[in-house]
Amino acid sequence: MKKIFSLPAELIHSRKLIFSLAKNDFKTKYAGSYLGIVWAFIQPVVTILVYWFVFSVGLKAGKASDYPFVIYLVSGIVPWFFFQDALNGGTNALIEYNYLVKKVVFKISILPVVKIISALFVHVFFVFFALILCACYGYYPSLYTFQLIYYSICSFILVLGLVYATSAIVIFFRDLTQIISIFLQVGVWMTPIMWDVNMLADYPWAITLFKLNPVYYIVNGYRDSMLEHAGFWTHPGWTFYFWVVTILLFVFGSIIFKRLKPHFADVL
């Protein structure tokens, strides 16, 4: 238990260094390219436009769950983009910053957090983009919109628990990076993002199965905040389930990270 609680303590103690490294990571990610950090925003926008064109124009998906498809898509894919970028970046954090891992005095436990906060900068932009787009369709911000802060925290803690495990394991098992890429390709459809899970009304067991995915709770929460104007307290059962799973993942990730930590420098 002491090892588990030592991680949050290290993060709080090193908060200034974490934010400084996160800002530097965000700025240098696209260093050398003509458009620089603009690429961080162009790539997700292009992805959204492709999905919108395929489903709205090609497949004639006018609405999803009684909402215009484009805002249903954007309100769900924005948290997924953050989860995807944070998981990918956090998993490879120790490999990318291997020169810091080899320094005995450096607290390497902050490196996965640096990558997550770096992804958070882009996420904030897309949250405002989604809110503006929803407003254009008549779905204006309300008090429920402030729940986005809560759901962002949910996403942050969930992915942090995951990357503590994956960033430690990938050093010894490099194939994990490819496995995560496949997982994310499938996950965007299984969450689901592009279609409404209520389409499976004839298969209630399937709906329950999809909802067991903790990312579904976050995606649905973003839609509740932007479109439904519903509070998270209206889903007490799923809220309890989400936090139980998230805390267990964080504990598991912390244990894996702490146990493998002494071997990082040798392998890298």
Side-chain angles (χ1 to χ4, degrees), residues 44-99:
V45 168
V46 170
T47 301
I48 291 172
L49 290 176
V50 169
Y51 283 140
W52 169 81
F53 180 82
V54 170
F55 285 93
S56 292
V57 180
L59 300 178
K60 305 297 182 182
K63 288 190 174 184
S65 190
D66 297 327
Y67 297 107
F69 180 78
V70 64
I71 62 172
Y72 184 84
L73 168 65
V74 170
S75 60
I77 207 169
V78 164
W80 177 261
F81 279 152
F82 171 66
F83 177 79
Q84 176 178 267
D85 292 345
L87 183 58
N88 278 327
T91 296
N92 295 298
L94 301 182
I95 295 175
E96 183 176 338
Y97 289 100
N98 63 80
Y99 57 92

Side-chain angles (χ1 to χ4, degrees), residues 70-189:
V70 64
I71 62 172
Y72 184 84
L73 168 65
V74 170
S75 60
I77 207 169
V78 164
W80 177 261
F81 279 152
F82 171 66
F83 177 79
Q84 176 178 267
D85 292 345
L87 183 58
N88 278 327
T91 296
N92 295 298
L94 301 182
I95 295 175
E96 183 176 338
Y97 289 100
N98 63 80
Y99 57 92
L100 293 177
V101 175
K102 296 174 184 178
K103 292 183 179 294
V104 179
V105 296
F106 189 82
K107 295 180 179 178
I108 61 175
S109 60
I110 72 173
L111 293 177
V113 187
V114 167
K115 302 299 288 189
I116 296 174
I117 294 178
S118 178
L120 191 61
F121 294 144
V122 179
H123 179 62
V124 171
F125 167 82
F126 278 103
V127 166
F128 282 105
F129 170 78
L131 290 173
I132 292 172
L133 184 63
C134 289
C136 291
Y137 279 85
Y139 297 90
Y140 300 102
S142 67
L143 289 176
Y144 292 101
T145 305
F146 288 103
Q147 289 183 135
L148 292 173
I149 298 173
Y150 162 73
Y151 286 112
S152 294
I153 294 172
C154 290
S155 186
F156 187 96
I157 298 176
L158 173 64
V159 78
L160 180 59
L162 289 172
V163 299
Y164 267 135
T166 58
S167 63
I169 295 172
V170 77
I171 293 176
F172 305 91
F173 181 61
R174 298 298 176 96
D175 291 351
L176 181 62
T177 301
Q178 305 305 322
I179 294 173
I180 289 176
S181 295
I182 296 173
F183 163 77
L184 290 172
Q185 288 176 354
V186 176
V188 72
W189 299 100

